Amino acid sequence: PSQLSSRVLKDSIESFTYLSAVQESPMEFRYEIAVQSGASFCPLPFVLRFVGDSSIVSIVRRLGFEKKEFSVWGSDCKCLTHKNVSALEQVLVRIRLSEVSVDSSGTSRCLIHFDVNNGSADGTFSLVFRRPKKTTMVGQLPKRKLASPAAA
């Protein structure tokens, strides 16, 4: 099995750090991210990781929470890569949220549309969550820079 893996996959530790996070409107967020990869590009699973995290931060912030106090998980994902996402420069991630729907069991869903580096990659995530009963909500966030997404 070890022969089925590449050196990059075996030896690299991929990581990312948020450089900035801005809520541009109630439903739109922009993140600038520094990435580290063993390759000059971001492999698709890595792109999905930082876009997925940015999506979760966006829904948490959209709902007015300062930190994530409830579980959020994806039920499906579609990602198209139109060209490589460079690991040698900052990555720009834009997130646009749909309205949240709530079913009869109290489970909430939100469709996330994302764009990476103005068209290098794009797609959707469907996020599922249950809001906690007791919250420390801060209300709708105004258009402004957000606190560090790492807090969410």
Side-chain angles (χ1 to χ4, degrees), residues 25-47:
S25 75
M27 307 295 254
E28 297 178 327
F29 297 79
R30 181 183 78 237
Y31 301 93
E32 292 177 5
I33 300 172
V35 296
Q36 295 220 244
S37 176
S40 62
F41 63 93
C42 299
L44 182 59
F46 184 35
V47 171

Side-chain angles (χ1 to χ4, degrees), residues 12-28:
S12 78
I13 297 176
E14 297 167 334
S15 65
F16 65 94
T17 303
Y18 289 101
L19 302 174
S20 71
V22 177
Q23 184 172 4
E24 297 184 317
S25 75
M27 307 295 254
E28 297 178 327

Side-chain angles (χ1 to χ4, degrees), residues 48-95:
L48 292 174
R49 196 167 87 220
F50 62 72
V51 169
D53 282 4
S54 299
S55 298
I56 291 169
V57 169
S58 297
I59 193 65
V60 168
R61 296 302 182 139
R62 169 66 178 113
L63 294 173
F65 290 86
E66 282 295 321
K67 63 181 184 174
K68 187 172 161 273
E69 298 182 11
F70 52 95
S71 295
V72 180
W73 62 96
S75 64
D76 75 338
C77 172
K78 178 181 179 183
C79 181
L80 300 172
T81 53
H82 307 287
K83 58 185 175 180
N84 280 341
V85 175
S86 175
L88 304 176
E89 56 191 35
Q90 285 182 193
V91 174
L92 174 65
V93 175
R94 293 185 182 278
I95 303 289

